[in-house]
C-alpha cells in the first residue's frame, strides 16, 4: 500500500526522534503510571479484592495513562506551530498512519510496562492464561491507539484540549474498555484461549472500523 | 499549451460571518510573478493560505494544472514551496536534520542531501547546520524556511512577507531567489515591500480589490 510506504514511516521516525529528545509524551505517561500504580497499591493494601475488579483497575490505569500522553502527537504539532509545515510536506493519510503507528508503539510499550508492574506489585492479580492476557494487551493497544489518534487530531484544533480529550474518548472507547476488561478477567480465571476469541474478534473489528473511518475523515480534520 | 497554470476562481473567505474578501479571480501561468498587497488585516495571509491549500475558501476554487492535467489537492504540496513567518521548523532538530526530514517525508530521491547543503550555503547558514533550530535567530529561521521551501524544486513558490526578520544579506539572497524563480515557475508574493512588488507582473491590492 503506497500510503504506508516511506512518507508515513518517516513521519513515525520524526515523531520518535522528537519524543526521544523532548519527552513530551513519555514523561507524562510514566509519571501517571507510577502515581496510579502507587495509589492502587496503597488503597488495596491487604484487602481481598476480586480478580474481576483488579482486571478493571488495570485498564482504568491504562486508559487514563493513555489520555495523559497520547494526544501529544497532534497537540504538540499545534502548540509548536508545525501543523502547517507538516501539511505542506505530506499527504494527510501519511501523517495519520505515521502518527497512528507512533501512538501504537507508545501505548504498547506503556501497556507492557503497566502489565508487568501490575502483576509484580499486586499479589492477588495472577494470570492463569498468559496467552489470553498478552493477546489482550496487544490487541487492546491496537484499538486504543487507533481511536486515541483520530480523537487527538480532532481535539488538537480545540481551545480546551486537556479536558476535551478524555471526555470525547470515553464514549468512543467504552466498548473497547468493556471488551479488554472481560478478556483480562478470562485470563485471570484460567479460561481456554478459544473462550476469548469473541473478545479478540471485537477488538480486531473495532480497530479495523476506527482506522478505516479515520483514513476517510482525517483529510477534513487535518486541513482546517 | 502552458506547462503550468494556477487559477483562482471567485474566491471568498468569511471568518465568523465577517467577509475578508470576495470574488477574487485570477489566472497565473509559468514565468509569471504575482504580488498580493494590502494593509494589515486585509487578508493577504488568508489568501496565500487558501492558494497553498492550508485553508478552505468559503466559496470558490483554486486549480493547479501541470501539462494540462489538474493536480489533485492532496498532492499539491509536491509542486509547491511556501515561506511564511508563521510557518515553523522543528526546534528540537538541527537545520540540516529539518531539511533531511522534510526531504524524506516528501519522498524525494536519496541524493537530495547535496541539494540541502547547497541551499544552506546559499542562505548562509551552512556553518550552523548542525545546531538545533531553537538556537537560531529569527532571521536564520527565516533563511532555513527558504531552504526547506526550495528543497524539492517546486514549480510554484508562494511567499508571505518574505523579507521579514532578514538583514540586508538575507534580503539579497531572497531577491535572487525571486528573480530566478519568476523565470522558471509561478511566483506569488504577499507583501507591502515596494521593492518586492517591483518583481511582479500583476498586483492584487486587497484594499481596493483591484488587479493591476
Amino acid at each position: 500500500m503506497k500510503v504506508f510506504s516511506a512518507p508515513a514511516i518517516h513521519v513515525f521516525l520524526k515523531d520518535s526522534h522528537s519524543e526521544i529528545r523532548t519527552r513530551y509524551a513519555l514523561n507524562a505517561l510514566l509519571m501517571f503510571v507510577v502515581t496510579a500504580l502507587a495509589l492502587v497499591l496503597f488503597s488495596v493494601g491487604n484487602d481481598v479484592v476480586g480478580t474481576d475488579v483488579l482486571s478493571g483497575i488495570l485498564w482504568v490505569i491504562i486508559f487514563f495513562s493513555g489520555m495523559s500522553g497520547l494526544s501529544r502527537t497532534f497537540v504538540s504539532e499545534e502548540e509548536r506551530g508545525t501543523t502547517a509545515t507538516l501539511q505542506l510536506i505530506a499527504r494527510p493519510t501519511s501523517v495519520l498512519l505515521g502518527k497512528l503507528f507512533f501512538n501504537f508503539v507508545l501505548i504498547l510499550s506503556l501497556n507492557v510496562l503497566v502489565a508487568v508492574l501490575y502483576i509484580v506489585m499486586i499479589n492477588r492479580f495472577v494470570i492463569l492464561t498468559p496467552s489470553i492476557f498478552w493477546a489482550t494487551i496487544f490487541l487492546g493497544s491496537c484499538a486504543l491507539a487507533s481511536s486515541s489518534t483520530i480523537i487527538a487530531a480532532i481535539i488538537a484544533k480545540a481551545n480546551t484540549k486537556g479536558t476535551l480529550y478524555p471526555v470525547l474518548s470515553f464514549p468512543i472507547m467504552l466498548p473497547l474498555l468493556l471488551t479488554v476488561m472481560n478478556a483480562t478477567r478470562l485470563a485471570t480465571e484460567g479460561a481456554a484461549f478459544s473462550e476469548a476469541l469473541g473478545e479478540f474478534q471485537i477488538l480486531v473489528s473495532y480497530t479495523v472500523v476506527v482506522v478505516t473511518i479515520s483514513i476517510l475523515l482525517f483529510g477534513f480534520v487535518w486541513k482546517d | 499549451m502552458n506547462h503550468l497554470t494556477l487559477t483562482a476562481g471567485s474566491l471568498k473567505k468569511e471568518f465568523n460571518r465577517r467577509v475578508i474578501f470576495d470574488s477574487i479571480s485570477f489566472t497565473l501561468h509559468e514565468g509569471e510573478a504575482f504580488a498580493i498587497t494590502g494593509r494589515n488585516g486585509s487578508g493577504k495571509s488568508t489568501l496565500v493560505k487558501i492558494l497553498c491549500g492550508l485553508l478552505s475558501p468559503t466559496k470558490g476554487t483554486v486549480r493547479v494544472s501541470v501539462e494540462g492535467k489538474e493536480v489533485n489537492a492532496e498532492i499539491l504540496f509536491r509542486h509547491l514551496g511556501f515561506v511564511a513567518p508563521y510557518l515553523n521548523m522543528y526546534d528540537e532538530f538541527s537545520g540540516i536534520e529539518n531539511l533531511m526530514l522534510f526531504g524524506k517525508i516528501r519522498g524525494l530521491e536519496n541524493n537530495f542531501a547535496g541539494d540541502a547543503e547547497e541551499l544552506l550555503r546559499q542562505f548562509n547558514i551552512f556553518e550552523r547546520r548542525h545546531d538545533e533550530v531553537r538556537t537560531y535567530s529569527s532571521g536564520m529561521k527565516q533563511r532555513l524556511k527558504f531552504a526547506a521551501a526550495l528543497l524539492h524544486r517546486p514549480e510554484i513558490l508562494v511567499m508571505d512577507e518574505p523579507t521579514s526578520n532578514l538583514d540586508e544579506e538575507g534580503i539579497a539572497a531572497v531577491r535572487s531567489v525571486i528573480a530566478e524563480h519568476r523565470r522558471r515557475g509561478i511566483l506569488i508574493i504577499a507583501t507591502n515591500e515596494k521593492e518586492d512588488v517591483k518583481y511582479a507582473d500583476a498586483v492584487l491590492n486587497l484594499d481596493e480589490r483591484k488587479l493591476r
Side-chain angles (χ1 to χ4, degrees), chain A residues 18 21 77 80 85 224, chain B residues 54 56 88 90 92 97 106:
Chain A
S18 176
R21 290 189 189 181
E77 300 278 1
R80 291 182 295 174
T85 310
D224 269 347
Chain B
L54 292 175
S56 302
N88 290 336
Y90 289 96
E92 66 274 24
E97 282 174 334
R106 277 185 179 281

Side-chain angles (χ1 to χ4, degrees), chain A residues 81-90, chain B residues 54 86-90 102:
Chain A
T82 49
T83 302
T85 310
L86 202 49
Q87 286 169 348
L88 286 163
I89 60 172
Chain B
L54 292 175
Y86 43 81
L87 213 60
N88 290 336
M89 302 284 110
Y90 289 96
F102 291 171

Side-chain angles (χ1 to χ4, degrees), chain A residues 41 105 145 151 165 170 179 188 212 221:
Chain A
L41 199 62
V105 171
I151 298 167
Y165 195 48
F170 183 68
T179 309
T188 59
T212 307
V221 177

Side-chain angles (χ1 to χ4, degrees), chain B residues 94-181:
Chain B
S94 68
I96 189 74
E97 282 174 334
N98 265 283
L99 294 191
M100 295 306 288
L101 182 74
F102 291 171
K104 285 173 184 168
I105 294 177
R106 277 185 179 281
L108 300 184
E109 298 297 319
N110 286 335
N111 56 5
F112 64 88
D115 293 345
E117 290 191 349
E118 190 48 47
L119 282 163
L120 292 173
R121 275 197 189 91
Q122 186 183 343
F123 287 98
N124 207 16
I125 45 173
F126 184 76
E127 297 300 316
R128 297 278 307 273
R129 68 191 182 284
H130 294 305
D131 293 352
E132 284 185 2
V133 171
R134 75 174 88 242
T135 66
Y136 284 17
S137 69
S138 50
M140 290 171 71
K141 285 180 184 171
Q142 180 75 352
R143 289 166 188 235
L144 182 63
K145 287 174 200 175
F146 270 97
L150 295 169
L151 182 64
H152 58 296
R153 300 179 186 188
E155 292 103 330
I156 303 168
L157 183 60
V158 183
M159 299 187 278
D160 190 357
E161 306 288 357
T163 50
S164 65
N165 299 319
L166 291 177
D167 55 18
E168 284 197 2
E169 182 200 66
I171 291 170
V174 169
R175 299 236 160 100
S176 83
V177 168
I178 292 174
E180 201 234 311
H181 197 88

